[in-house]
């Protein structure tokens, strides 16, 4: 089937067509940066004095299905969008934002708003673009039909948050345009008539995926996972016979629908899914392979045996689900920063020989060693790469090792960073700047310990709030971290409240304030109320929020000075050494 590329403005592209995004495609994932770039392109086009100047937006690749749909006396072709859905979706949202602004204008504006609304939502309720993929389709429909959307705070998935921010930012762009005394009608004309697309229409799905791969193989900003999907789909269409191909494509659609649904819940990097899967499959590599290498690895494998496209896709799904389970656990944020550390955790979770309790026990050891190396010892991503990657591959492929054998091998990775040495990195050092997530994690573990000592249990409600909040809003400096207003001026009121508690030299005092012993966690927002108050005033605030046992240790103190701070630091370090032995 030959390709029929056409050059269309947005207005012509949307005429007599209904666009559909199938469920095996990625959900809406554009973020503020991409939308801002789009708005800037439109703004530059408006500022150009040449009224004939057009702006090329992108290519749109679609699969046209034989069925046509009638709406009144009009017929509409139905097109499944394979490439270009992010930009097309954003521009349709922008058109809806224009409708809302035009409806507040004069009679001419309102007539244009009605015409535009009929373009986006047909009289039988059909949408110009139907988000059939994943859970935010109703969110998109409600916006196009009614112009309403929920508060972003009330949604749980990344896809929904992206969509709601798109609604907000498009409406804000249109409002600012109007506030600058620019014509909304002129903006509509510009968007409809001077934004150009190259439109590729094919009627063979195999050719669609091949075209997508060719168009996006020259370094354009397309996720490698999306490229891999189209590559696998293309192989299935080209290499399998028609009977096998039909069944295989159905399975691929189901599998990739689940992959993108999972990605839409949390921000699982598509490139990492591809790289991890290839790394665990490929032998002999001592680091996580690159995305391009992974792509070619799977291409070679599947071209030799096309039936493997299902197996590869299912393995990608398995990695996706395990990565999602790691990312959605906020408690592990400080432990999962390093790529090869995440890879080892994923390999443990995917070992089919181990039961749930075995995996839990092994992952506890993985967590302990990983935090000891990258958390307490503060090593960077160049550390222990080969050991983590090779062990991950061995655990993934060797199903016969016992729990004790695996734990022993994980402990071997950490032998160069014993707890007795790691905790020295916590002594008399800055444990706040650049170490905030690690500090929250350390205090969580300390809180667990304190509750065990008292046969209690941690407050899940408080910790859920802590995990969801920026560390800067939950970490409290007992002695204020700054006693200066600016570089040359001392805050005399603050100096009076904390006179000589940590000494008299400004630089020394402010260094001591960042030490582990001077830091504590409070429920979100409480630290701002404590701020620069005296210790006695702070104790009164702390006592109202005694949901954390580590707060009680501070309330018990009569005074807060360098000695009491250092005593607390030594106590926490002694505990940490024993906890991470």
């Amino acid at each position: 089937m030959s390709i029929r590329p056409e050059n269309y403005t947005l207005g012509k592209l949307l005429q007599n067509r209904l666009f559909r995004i199938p469920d095996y495609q990625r959900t809406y994932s554009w973020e503020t940066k991409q939308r801002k770039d789009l708005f800037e392109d439109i703004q530059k086009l408006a500022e150009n004095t040449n009224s004939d100047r057009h702006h090329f937006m992108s290519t749109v690749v679609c699969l046209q299905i034989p069925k046509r749909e009638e709406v009144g006396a009009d017929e509409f072709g139905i097109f499944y969008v394979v490439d270009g859905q992010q930009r097309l979706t954003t521009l349709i949202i922008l058109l809806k934002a224009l409708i809302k602004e035009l409806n507040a204008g004069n009679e001419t504006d309102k007539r244009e708003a009605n015409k535009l609304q009929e373009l986006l939502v047909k009289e039988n309720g059909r949408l110009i673009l139907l988000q059939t993929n994943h859970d935010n389709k109703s969110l998109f429909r409600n916006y196009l039909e009614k112009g309403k959307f929920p508060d972003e705070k009330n949604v749980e998935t990344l896809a929904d948050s992206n969509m709601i921010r798109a609604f907000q930012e498009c409406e804000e762009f249109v409002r600012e345009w109007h506030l600058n005394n620019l014509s909304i009608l002129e903006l509509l004309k510009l968007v409809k008539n001077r934004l150009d697309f190259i439109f590729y229409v094919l009627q063979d799905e195999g050719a669609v995926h091949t075209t997508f791969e060719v168009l996006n193989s020259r370094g354009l900003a397309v996720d490698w996972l999306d490229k891999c999907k189209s590559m696998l789909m293309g192989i299935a269409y080209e290499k399998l016979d028609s009977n096998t191909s039909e069944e295989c494509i159905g399975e691929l659609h189901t599998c990739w629908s689940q992959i993108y649904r999972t990605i839409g819940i949390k921000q699982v990097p598509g490139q990492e899914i591809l790289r991890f899967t290839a790394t665990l499959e490929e032998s002999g590599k001592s680091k996580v392979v690159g995305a391009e290498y992974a792509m070619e690895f799977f291409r070679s494998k599947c071209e030799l045996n096309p039936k493997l496209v299902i197996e590869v896709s299912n393995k990608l799904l398995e990695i996706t689900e395990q990565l999602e389970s790691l990312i959605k656990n906020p408690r592990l944020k400080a432990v999962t920063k390093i790529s090869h550390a995440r890879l080892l955790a994923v390999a443990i979770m995917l070992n089919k020989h181990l039961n749930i309790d075995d995996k839990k026990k092994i992952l506890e050891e993985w967590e302990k060693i990983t935090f000891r190396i990258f958390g307490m010892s503060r090593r960077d991503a160049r550390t222990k790469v080969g050991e983590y990657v090779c062990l991950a591959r061995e655990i993934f492929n060797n199903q016969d090792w016992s729990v004790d054998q695996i734990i022993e091998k994980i402990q071997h990775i950490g032998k160069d960073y014993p707890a007795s040495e790691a905790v020295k990195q916590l002594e008399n050092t800055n444990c706040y700047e650049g170490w905030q997530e690690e500090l929250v994690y350390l205090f969580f573990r300390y809180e667990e310990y304190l509750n065990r000592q008292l046969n209690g249990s941690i407050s899940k409600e408080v910790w859920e709030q802590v995990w969801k909040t920026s560390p800067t809003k939950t970490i409290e400096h007992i002695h204020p971290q700054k006693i200066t207003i600016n570089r040359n001026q001392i805050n005399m009121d603050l100096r009076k409240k904390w006179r000589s508690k940590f000494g008299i030299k400004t630089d020394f005092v402010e260094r001591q304030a960042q030490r582990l012993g001077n830091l504590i966690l409070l429920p979100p927002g409480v630290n701002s109320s404590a701020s620069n108050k005296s210790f006695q005033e702070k104790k009164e605030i702390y006592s109202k929020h005694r949901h954390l046992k580590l707060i009680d240790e501070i309330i018990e103190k009569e005074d807060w000075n360098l000695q009491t701070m250092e005593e607390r630091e030594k106590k926490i370090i002694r505990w940490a050494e024993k906890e991470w032995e």
Side-chain angles (χ1 to χ4, degrees):
M1 178 65 64
S2 62
I3 300 174
R4 306 197 312 269
E6 299 283 354
N7 186 282
Y8 287 134
T9 62
L10 178 64
K12 290 182 179 179
L13 180 66
L14 299 181
Q15 289 298 323
N16 299 109
R17 294 183 178 88
L18 297 175
F19 295 95
R20 303 290 178 257
I21 301 175
D23 58 3
Y24 56 84
Q25 293 284 68
R26 178 185 293 273
T27 190
Y28 183 72
S29 56
W30 258 22
E31 297 183 351
T32 297
K33 181 186 183 304
Q34 289 77 35
R35 289 187 289 270
K36 184 178 179 181
D37 290 343
L38 172 63
F39 300 151
E40 288 178 354
D41 289 340
I42 295 172
Q43 187 70 47
K44 288 176 184 176
L45 186 59
E47 292 168 358
N48 195 295
T49 55
N50 183 356
S51 60
D52 292 328
R53 181 73 176 267
H54 285 229
H55 178 75
F56 175 68
M57 296 300 294
S58 70
T59 59
V60 175
V61 181
C62 288
L63 170 67
Q64 183 175 13
I65 64 173
K67 178 183 176 183
R68 296 183 69 83
E69 188 161 323
E70 292 185 358
V71 179
D74 297 319
E75 281 192 346
F76 292 84
I78 299 177
F79 299 82
Y80 282 83
V81 182
V82 174
D83 188 25
Q85 66 146 316
Q86 305 293 335
R87 188 171 271 100
L88 190 57
T89 301
T90 306
L91 285 169
I92 288 172
I93 292 170
L94 180 59
L95 290 176
K96 181 60 184 183
L98 282 165
I99 290 171
K100 294 179 74 171
E101 193 71 25
L102 288 167
N103 274 323
N106 57 36
E107 290 304 314
T108 301
D109 290 347
K110 289 177 181 177
R111 281 197 299 272
E112 290 298 324
N114 289 335
K115 287 163 55 179
L116 193 53
Q117 182 67 21
E118 290 172 1
L119 175 68
L120 301 189
V121 183
K122 312 304 178 186
E123 62 184 43
N124 63 352
R126 290 286 187 263
L127 302 183
I128 185 72
L129 176 70
L130 185 61
Q131 296 273 345
T132 61
N133 56 333
H134 317 305
D135 298 331
N136 61 357
K137 56 188 177 184
S138 59
L139 191 70
F140 187 71
R141 173 175 284 280
N142 284 337
Y143 185 66
L144 290 195
E145 287 183 338
K146 303 172 184 176
K148 297 180 179 179
F149 53 90
D151 191 307
E152 189 182 351
K153 296 177 182 178
N154 298 326
V155 301
E156 297 181 356
T157 71
L158 179 68
D160 282 355
S161 292
N162 283 335
M163 186 70 75
I164 290 172
R165 284 198 294 273
F167 300 157
Q168 294 168 337
E169 289 168 10
C170 285
E171 290 189 7
E172 183 179 344
F173 172 69
V174 173
R175 278 196 303 271
E176 287 182 0
W177 187 282
H178 201 186
L179 289 172
N180 289 328
N181 296 318
L182 298 172
S183 167
I184 296 299
L185 269 181
E186 289 302 316
L187 175 58
L188 174 59
K189 291 176 185 177
L190 187 150
V191 171
K192 286 181 64 178
N193 303 321
R194 291 171 62 191
L195 300 182
D196 290 3
F197 294 82
I198 298 296
F199 186 42
Y200 287 88
V201 181
L202 299 100
Q203 294 170 324
D204 177 337
E205 187 175 348
V208 168
H209 293 295
T210 303
T211 303
F212 171 84
E213 187 183 355
V214 171
L215 290 172
N216 292 287
S217 62
R218 299 295 181 266
L220 299 180
V222 176
D223 193 288
W224 280 98
L225 188 66
D226 296 342
K227 292 183 181 182
C228 184
K229 179 201 68 178
S230 284
M231 179 267 290
L232 295 173
M233 293 272 196
I235 290 175
Y237 274 106
E238 291 178 0
K239 302 287 186 179
L240 296 173
D241 61 71
S242 56
N243 291 331
T244 307
S245 174
E246 184 176 350
E247 181 179 345
C248 179
I249 293 300
E251 290 187 48
L252 286 174
H253 285 178
T254 300
C255 182
W256 281 93
S257 172
Q258 187 59 39
I259 287 174
Y260 285 129
R261 184 179 296 277
T262 305
I263 287 175
I265 295 172
K266 293 291 180 182
Q267 195 168 6
V268 184
Q271 184 179 129
E272 186 163 293
I273 294 167
L274 181 62
R275 295 175 65 206
F276 277 17
T277 309
T279 301
L280 294 176
E281 287 285 309
E282 174 72 301
S283 60
K285 297 294 180 181
S286 58
K287 63 180 181 179
V288 180
V289 301
E292 187 172 3
Y293 180 95
M295 177 95 161
E296 294 309 312
F297 172 73
F298 288 127
R299 186 197 303 279
S300 299
K301 186 174 183 176
C302 293
E303 283 184 341
L304 288 173
N305 184 355
K307 291 182 180 179
L308 290 178
V309 294
I310 296 292
E311 179 183 308
V312 169
S313 295
N314 283 326
K315 286 179 178 178
L316 289 165
L317 174 59
E318 286 183 336
I319 298 292
T320 301
E321 291 173 338
Q322 299 309 326
L323 273 173
E324 188 264 342
S325 70
L326 279 180
I327 290 171
K328 77 178 183 182
N329 186 345
R331 175 184 176 276
L332 294 177
K333 194 170 183 181
V335 191
T336 54
K337 288 183 173 182
I338 304 299
S339 175
H340 47 274
R342 293 194 298 274
L343 178 71
L344 179 54
V346 166
I348 294 166
M349 295 157 74
L350 287 174
N351 187 301
K352 295 178 173 59
H353 176 69
L354 301 168
N355 61 40
I356 294 175
D357 290 337
D358 290 341
K359 291 178 181 179
K360 182 179 178 182
K361 186 176 180 181
I362 294 168
L363 285 169
E364 286 175 355
E365 196 65 31
W366 161 83
E367 184 179 333
K368 177 187 292 186
I369 297 300
T370 299
F371 187 69
R372 213 165 72 196
I373 297 172
F374 301 105
M376 289 194 289
S377 298
R378 307 194 189 201
R379 308 309 296 177
D380 62 24
R382 296 169 294 182
T383 305
K384 297 288 182 178
V385 178
E387 289 94 325
Y388 269 92
V389 170
C390 292
L391 181 57
R393 190 182 297 110
E394 289 173 353
I395 290 173
F396 180 75
N397 293 302
N398 188 336
Q399 307 295 316
D400 297 325
W401 283 350
S402 69
V403 174
D404 290 341
Q405 284 176 305
I406 296 174
I407 287 177
E408 183 180 350
K409 290 178 182 296
I410 293 173
Q411 290 173 339
H412 184 74
I413 291 177
K415 67 180 177 59
D416 296 331
Y417 299 93
S420 57
E421 293 298 317
V423 296
K424 290 180 181 179
Q425 304 299 319
L426 305 179
E427 296 175 1
N428 193 16
T429 191
N430 190 328
C431 285
Y432 178 71
E433 294 173 327
W435 209 70
Q436 295 168 357
E437 288 173 349
E438 289 81 358
L439 180 66
V440 173
Y441 173 80
L442 182 80
F443 279 154
F444 173 79
R445 297 290 299 271
Y446 188 52
E447 180 73 5
E448 285 184 320
Y449 161 75
L450 293 176
N451 275 279
R452 286 197 303 270
Q453 297 297 102
L454 298 170
N455 294 318
S457 59
I458 64 171
S459 171
K460 291 183 178 180
E461 182 180 352
V462 170
W463 277 99
E464 283 179 3
Q465 294 175 21
V466 170
W467 295 129
K468 290 179 181 179
T469 307
S470 168
T472 58
K473 296 181 179 179
T474 59
I475 297 172
E476 156 78 352
H477 295 74
I478 302 170
H479 185 296
Q481 60 177 319
K482 291 287 183 182
I483 61 172
T484 54
I485 297 173
N486 54 47
R487 182 176 296 180
N488 301 313
Q489 187 177 1
I490 299 291
N491 184 329
M492 296 309 296
D493 180 58
L494 191 57
R495 171 63 68 88
K496 181 178 179 181
K497 291 177 181 177
W498 290 90
R499 188 185 303 275
S500 302
K501 300 292 186 182
F502 277 13
I504 58 174
K505 292 185 177 180
T506 301
D507 289 346
F508 177 82
V509 172
E510 293 183 352
R511 284 200 305 273
Q512 304 312 301
Q514 308 289 17
R515 288 174 59 176
L516 177 63
N518 189 55
L519 301 170
I520 195 172
L521 278 185
L522 294 175
V526 178
N527 65 341
S528 61
S529 64
S531 189
N532 292 335
K533 291 181 168 56
S534 69
F535 181 60
Q536 295 304 321
E537 291 172 318
K538 286 194 173 198
K539 282 175 61 173
E540 291 180 13
I541 294 171
Y542 295 168
S543 65
K544 297 176 183 177
H545 301 278
R546 299 176 71 168
H547 305 291
L548 300 172
K549 297 301 180 198
L550 52 85
I551 292 177
D552 291 343
E553 289 189 319
I554 308 303
I555 295 174
E556 292 170 358
K557 304 295 182 183
E558 290 296 324
D559 192 13
W560 193 253
N561 52 39
L562 195 59
Q563 180 181 343
T564 52
M565 182 274 287
E566 289 182 334
E567 287 173 354
R568 178 173 181 259
E569 180 172 285
K570 289 176 182 176
K571 178 182 178 182
I572 295 174
I573 288 174
R574 285 196 301 271
W575 158 79
E577 181 176 358
K578 185 176 180 181
E579 185 77 10
W580 271 275
E581 300 185 308

